[in-house]
Amino acid sequence: MLSMNKMRFSAILSMVLFAATVYSQKAGDNGISVSEKAKIDALINAMTLEEKVGQLSLYQADWDVTGPILNTNHLNLIKEGKAGAIFNAYTVDGVRHLQQMAVEESRLKIPLIFGYDVIHGHRTIFPIPLAQSCSWNLSAIEQTERIAAREATAEGLNWTFAPMVDISRDPRWGRVAEGAGEDTWLGCKVAAARVRGFQGTDYKAGNTLMACTKHFAAYGAPQAGREYGTVDMSMISLYEWYLPPFRACVDAGVGSLMTAFNEIAGVPSTANKWLMTDLLRKDWGFHGFVVTDYTSINEMVDHGNAENIKDAARLAFNAGVDMDMEGSAFLDYLPGLLKEKKVTLQDIDHAVRLILEAKTKLGLFDDPYRYCNKSRQEKEVMTAENLDFARKMVSESCVLLKNPDQVLPISENVRSIAIIGPLGDSKKDMLGNWTAAGNWEKCITLVEGIKSRVKDEVEVYYEKGCNTNDNDRSGFDAAVKIAEKADFVVLAMGENGWMSGEASSRSSIGIPGVQNELAEIIIKTGKPVALVLFNGRPLVITKMAALPLAILETWFGGTQAGNGIADVLFGVVNPAGKITMTFPRNEGQIPIFYNGKNTGRPLNPADSSDRYLSRYLDCPNDPLFPFGYGLSYTKFTYSNLRTTVDGNKINVAVQVANSGNRDGEEVVQLYVRDKVGSVTRPVKELKGFQKVLIKKGETKTITFNLTTDDLAFYHPDLKKYWEPGEFVVFVGTNSAETLSESITVK
Ligand code: NOJ
C-alpha cells in the first residue's frame, strides 16, 4: 500500500518538477528562492480546487481545547488533502502520526504545518507575558521565546499563535495577561523581541517557530473591557496606539498574522480589506499569510455584517484572509463562490502560494518529519538550563509595590515563617492562563520555593485559610494560629489561574472572595507581613495597600514560580521590575493609563477650590500605582538632568545614585511631552529606558540619544511627522516621579 502510494507520489512529483522547469522568474523578497518558487508554481498547477481550499483550512486536533469545537473530522480531512494545517496537537509521536496521513495518504502529499498557542513557554512555562514585560529586559524576553521555540519544535510544532501584541488600557479585559501592557512604544520593542526569539534569523533552522502576531487589530480595546466586545475608535488612535506593535512585528519579519474577533467602526477585523490588504500588505509590505482567529469567519453572521457563512467567507477572503481557523467556511464555500465569480482563482492561488511558501520556509517539503525527532524531544525539553532561566525570569518579573519599614527581604534571623492563603501551595494556579503543554504537577509552589530556600532549622508552616473565590471562612482560625506562632507571615493571595486570559473579563477587579478579610485579621497579630500577589491583570488593591504590609507583585510565574519568588523574598535577587500597566484605585477610573491627554480643564491637585475641572468627585485622578512603578531593596536618587539640542539630535543625561545599602538594578525611564501639537499630545510618552546595575554607593550617568524622528506623531492625514516647538523631557524611576526640563526644538 505504502509503495503504491510512493509510486503515485513520484509520478505526481515528476509532473510537478517538469512543470517547474518551464517556469523561471526572479524570487521576490519573501525569502523564497527561484527554484523553490518554481516548485510551488508547479504544485499549484497540479492541485484541484478542493485541494487548494484545503490548504487554506486549519483544524484543531483534540489534544487541547482552546475554543468551541466545530470539527471532529480532522483525520479524514487530512487524508483527503482538505487541511493545510493542524493546531492543538503536539509530541513527536502525535505529530508524526498526523503528518504521515498527510504525506502518505493524501493525493499530493503536501505536509501540514502544526500550530499551537505557545504563549509563555511550551513545557517549561515562563511567567505570563504581562509579567515578563515588567522585567523591561528585552533580551531575556527574547530568550524565553528562543527556549519556547526549541522545546516546541522538539515536540513536532513549527508555528506558534504568538506574540499577542494587543495594547490594552483596560485591566477588566482578561487578556491583558498575554500582552506587554498599556504602552505602545514598549509594546513595539517587546513584540519585535518575541518575534526574533521565536523565529531566530531563519525559521528553516529546525528549532525555530514561525510566529503569528495577533490579534489584528485593536482587540485590546473592547468597550467596557468585555471579552470579544466591540471596538470603536478614531483612526488617529488606531494608528498611534494600537497598530504600531503589529508593524514592529512585520518589520521584524513575522511569518503570519491572526485576525481579531472584534469589529472596528462597524467592520469585523476578519472582513476588513483596508486593514489586511491596503495597510498590512501594500503599505507595510507584509509577505506572510493571514489566518483568522477561531471561527471568526462564521461569527460574522452574529456580528451582523453577513447574512450567512457563505457570504462571510466571501467577505473574509476578498478582504485578504488566507487561512480559515476551524470554521470550514473556506472549504465549504470558496468553490461555490468561485463558480459564481464572487472570488477569483487568481486570489485563491495567491493564498495557496502563501501557505506553500510558509511550508517551504519551514523546510517541510525537504523533510516533513524534521520537527519529529525523538532524541531532541528527550534532550531539549525542560532541561536544567531552561528551568534555571525560567527561575531567573520569575524574579525579574516581580514588582515590589510596597515595602514599609523594609519588611522585605525576609531577615536571616527569622526562625519560623507562616505562609497563608489559597495560592501558597496550589501547583495548578502557578501556570496562569495558556498553559500550552506545561504540566502543572511540575510547578514549584511558594511553599516549596520557600522551604528549599531556608535553612533546615527554619520552621515553615502553611495554611490555606480560604479559597480564592468564595465566602468560606472556616479556615481562618487555623491561619491565625500559625501566624501567631511564626516570626514572619507571607500571604499568598490574588486571582486563581483561570480568572485572566481569554474569556476572563471581570467587572470588579479586586482580590476576590474573603481574602482581604483574612489579610486584615492576620495583620492584627502584629507580625511582619508580606503579601505575595498572584494575578493576571492589575488589580484594585487599594484596601489591601492601606494595611501595614509589604506587597510583592508576582503575577503567574509558571513552572519555577515558587523558586523565583523565594529568591526575591529572601533578597538573593533585588527586585527591579516595574509595572507596565497602571493599577487603578477603583474600577471607576478605568480605562486608566499614564499617557492620557491634558484636557482643556486639567486638574490642579494642589488647588481643590475650582469645581469645574476634569476630575472625579469621589476619587483622585491619579492611580494607586503608576505605569513604570516598582521599588527596590535599595534606593535610587536622580539628579542633574541635562538636555541638549543639537540640530535634529536631542541628548539627555541624568545621574542616578544608588544611595541605599545593596547593589541593585534600576529601570531609568525617559518620557517626553510635546507642549503644542496641531493634534494634542499626551501629558507624557515613553521614549526610552535603560535597565542598569548600580552598585551600592555608586553613581552612574545615564544617557539617551533621541532624534526629532522620535517626536513624530500621526496627523489627520495619517502621516507621521514632528512639529517644532517646546517639549518637556522627563527622566525618572516611574512615569509619575521624574525630573524634568523644557527644551525648544526647531
Ligand atoms: C482563540 C484566541 O483568541 C487565539 O488567540 C488563539 O490563538 C486561538 N483561539 C487558538 O487557540
Side-chain angles (χ1 to χ4, degrees):
M1 176 65 185
L2 207 69
S3 57
M4 267 298 285
N5 271 334
K6 268 193 192 144
M7 277 165 59
R8 246 185 277 140
F9 180 49
S10 46
I12 291 169
L13 202 65
S14 22
M15 272 165 47
V16 161
L17 290 178
F18 170 74
T21 51
V22 291
Y23 206 108
S24 118
Q25 195 182 309
K26 212 171 141 257
D29 43 5
N30 54 358
I32 294 292
S33 73
V34 176
S35 64
E36 286 168 337
K37 180 179 182 304
K39 283 184 194 161
I40 291 170
D41 289 335
L43 199 46
I44 293 173
N45 283 340
M47 291 166 94
T48 63
L49 181 59
E50 266 204 334
E51 284 162 341
K52 287 179 182 175
V53 295
Q55 285 304 304
L56 309 186
S57 303
L58 164 66
Y59 294 101
Q60 60 89 32
D62 38 17
W63 287 56
D64 198 353
V65 178
T66 58
I69 294 167
L70 284 199
N71 202 301
T72 50
N73 191 28
H74 65 280
L75 299 184
N76 286 334
L77 291 168
I78 294 172
K79 291 180 202 162
E80 290 162 13
K82 290 182 183 165
I86 291 291
F87 70 114
N88 293 355
Y90 53 91
T91 73
V92 165
D93 289 340
V95 168
R96 182 178 280 276
H97 174 66
L98 299 177
Q99 190 71 294
Q100 217 158 4
M101 286 180 193
V103 300
E104 289 182 13
E105 296 185 52
S106 77
R107 188 182 78 96
L108 285 178
K109 334 266 176 223
I110 300 174
L112 297 160
I113 298 175
F114 286 88
Y116 196 34
D117 288 286
V118 179
I119 307 288
H120 51 119
H122 175 65
R123 292 267 181 198
T124 303
I125 302 296
F126 297 101
I128 56 170
L130 178 63
Q132 292 182 29
S133 72
C134 296
S135 73
W136 298 61
N137 185 338
L138 297 174
S139 60
I141 291 172
E142 183 173 333
Q143 182 62 10
T144 63
E145 306 305 26
R146 212 52 297 290
I147 293 172
R150 273 206 295 268
E151 291 196 354
T153 53
E155 290 214 288
L157 296 166
N158 37 47
W159 187 25
T160 175
F161 302 140
M164 188 202 93
V165 302
D166 295 306
I167 296 298
S168 186
R169 297 164 162 183
D170 194 330
R172 291 171 298 183
W173 188 54
R175 298 196 82 167
V176 299
E178 293 171 53
E182 72 193 37
D183 185 66
T184 304
W185 186 90
L186 184 63
C188 288
K189 305 280 173 208
V190 172
R194 291 197 187 282
V195 171
R196 288 195 303 271
F198 284 130
Q199 294 192 172
T201 47
D202 169 17
Y203 52 74
K204 209 169 192 166
N207 63 3
T208 53
L209 286 171
M210 174 170 61
C212 181
T213 293
K214 66 192 190 186
H215 307 85
F216 199 47
Y219 180 45
Q223 287 167 354
R226 205 179 66 227
E227 179 68 310
Y228 312 128
T230 300
V231 174
D232 201 2
M233 66 172 69
S234 72
M235 281 301 263
I236 287 196
S237 286
L238 189 62
Y239 267 77
E240 185 96 47
W241 310 120
Y242 293 90
L243 293 176
F246 292 94
R247 175 71 195 260
C249 290
V250 170
D251 291 347
V254 72
S256 62
L257 247 87
M258 188 186 292
T259 66
F261 285 125
N262 56 281
E263 66 164 63
I264 307 174
V267 183
S269 297
T270 306
N272 195 326
K273 183 162 195 196
W274 165 77
L275 199 59
M276 284 181 283
T277 300
D278 301 343
L279 185 74
L280 178 65
R281 298 188 201 273
K282 293 189 187 147
D283 284 9
W284 295 357
F286 175 64
H287 293 294
F289 69 88
V290 175
V291 61
T292 68
D293 202 345
Y294 205 114
T295 61
S296 62
I297 297 180
N298 315 49
E299 289 169 24
M300 283 190 220
V301 176
D302 283 323
H303 271 292
N305 70 317
E307 257 178 45
N308 48 41
I309 300 177
K310 180 176 177 188
D311 207 39
R314 173 185 67 82
L315 288 169
F317 185 72
N318 286 336
V321 170
D322 303 300
M323 188 182 261
D324 170 12
M325 187 193 292
E326 183 65 6
S328 281
F330 280 2
L331 190 71
D332 293 345
Y333 299 110
L334 281 186
L337 287 165
L338 179 66
K339 253 192 220 141
E340 291 166 27
K341 297 200 169 32
K342 289 187 176 153
V343 299
T344 68
L345 186 61
Q346 198 187 359
D347 285 346
I348 292 178
D349 285 352
H350 180 70
V352 173
R353 173 181 305 283
L354 295 178
I355 308 304
L356 298 180
E357 283 181 358
K359 294 183 177 186
T360 304
K361 288 195 238 171
L362 290 166
L364 290 168
F365 286 110
D366 301 335
D367 176 5
Y369 304 112
R370 66 198 304 255
Y371 300 91
C372 299
N373 177 333
K374 268 259 157 86
S375 92
R376 274 196 66 205
Q377 181 172 262
E378 275 148 28
K379 282 195 217 123
E380 294 183 29
V381 171
M382 288 192 93
T383 61
E385 201 190 349
N386 295 359
L387 293 173
D388 276 356
F389 194 78
R391 177 178 187 150
K392 173 177 141 45
M393 208 55 210
V394 174
S395 51
E396 276 220 55
S397 305
C398 289
V399 184
L400 184 62
L401 294 176
K402 262 194 75 188
N403 197 18
D405 306 323
Q406 302 286 310
V407 171
L408 289 176
I410 301 173
S411 148
E412 277 186 5
N413 302 327
V414 161
R415 286 284 149 265
S416 53
I417 300 174
I419 304 168
I420 296 170
L423 293 151
D425 208 19
S426 170
K427 286 181 182 287
K428 276 192 178 157
D429 287 294
M430 293 304 98
L431 298 179
N433 205 280
W434 291 117
T435 56
N439 179 350
W440 60 265
E441 285 168 338
K442 299 204 169 156
C443 285
I444 307 292
T445 65
L446 186 58
V447 168
E448 290 169 322
I450 288 181
K451 279 189 175 160
S452 66
R453 176 47 72 206
V454 296
K455 295 194 183 116
D456 286 349
E457 59 270 25
V458 176
E459 295 281 358
V460 178
Y461 316 114
Y462 174 64
E463 282 294 339
K464 194 173 168 197
C466 61
N467 298 317
T468 43
N469 199 13
D470 65 24
N471 297 329
D472 183 358
R473 295 171 176 82
S474 59
F476 278 21
D477 287 349
V480 171
K481 267 194 197 116
I482 63 161
E484 277 168 348
K485 67 178 180 181
D487 293 342
F488 195 98
V489 179
V490 176
L491 298 177
M493 296 181 170
E495 298 180 306
N496 68 44
W498 297 271
M499 290 178 92
S500 58
E502 188 179 349
S504 304
S505 290
R506 295 177 66 203
S507 63
S508 303
I509 53 168
I511 300 177
V514 290
Q515 298 178 82
N516 279 295
E517 209 178 307
L518 177 59
E520 281 167 16
I521 293 170
I522 297 297
I523 285 288
K524 289 193 187 130
T525 62
K527 298 297 166 90
V529 179
L531 165 66
V532 170
L533 205 54
F534 294 89
N535 47 324
R537 55 158 63 78
L539 296 176
V540 168
I541 51 167
T542 311
K543 261 178 102 181
M544 190 70 103
L547 299 175
L549 40 64
I551 303 180
L552 184 69
E553 171 59 78
T554 69
W555 312 105
F556 291 111
T559 314
Q560 284 289 309
N563 283 334
I565 298 168
D567 289 343
V568 177
L569 290 176
F570 291 93
V572 182
V573 173
N574 187 353
K578 305 271 188 175
I579 48 176
T580 55
M581 275 195 89
T582 304
F583 275 51
R585 291 175 189 274
N586 63 39
E587 288 84 357
Q589 290 185 312
I590 298 170
I592 185 165
F593 45 100
Y594 83 96
N595 48 352
K597 300 288 182 81
N598 201 39
T599 82
R601 293 188 176 190
L603 179 68
N604 173 6
D607 175 10
S608 58
S609 62
D610 192 348
R611 183 184 171 101
Y612 297 100
L613 298 178
S614 177
R615 67 142 160 264
Y616 301 102
L617 290 179
D618 56 352
C619 166
N621 283 5
D622 65 346
L624 187 63
F625 298 115
F627 174 84
Y629 174 87
L631 303 173
S632 164
Y633 293 152
T634 188
K635 189 173 158 36
F636 297 106
T637 312
Y638 286 65
S639 64
N640 281 334
L641 173 65
R642 278 159 292 132
T643 308
T644 53
V645 182
D646 177 11
N648 72 339
K649 296 196 178 83
I650 302 150
N651 302 315
V652 182
V654 72
Q655 285 187 327
V656 185
N658 181 340
S659 45
N661 55 12
R662 57 170 74 215
D663 300 347
E665 283 184 298
E666 167 72 332
V667 179
V668 181
Q669 300 159 43
L670 170 75
Y671 298 87
V672 171
R673 175 173 180 187
D674 186 343
K675 287 289 289 223
V676 181
S678 57
V679 175
T680 60
R681 305 303 306 146
V683 291
K684 256 171 210 168
E685 285 179 86
L686 184 71
K687 294 288 178 187
F689 73 88
Q690 284 186 43
K691 188 169 185 177
V692 281
L693 173 69
I694 309 181
K695 298 232 156 84
K696 74 172 171 190
E698 189 190 7
T699 298
K700 274 195 173 162
T701 300
I702 311 298
T703 57
F704 296 94
N705 302 310
L706 298 182
T707 72
T708 45
D709 285 347
D710 296 306
L711 307 176
F713 57 90
Y714 282 98
H715 288 74
D717 59 1
L718 302 176
K719 298 263 172 343
K720 198 178 180 193
Y721 52 88
W722 71 285
E723 294 174 2
E726 193 190 339
F727 295 82
V728 186
V729 171
F730 308 83
V731 180
T733 185
N734 61 57
S735 62
E737 291 171 77
T738 53
L739 300 176
S740 66
E741 195 175 21
S742 285
I743 53 168
T744 301
V745 189
K746 293 182 193 138

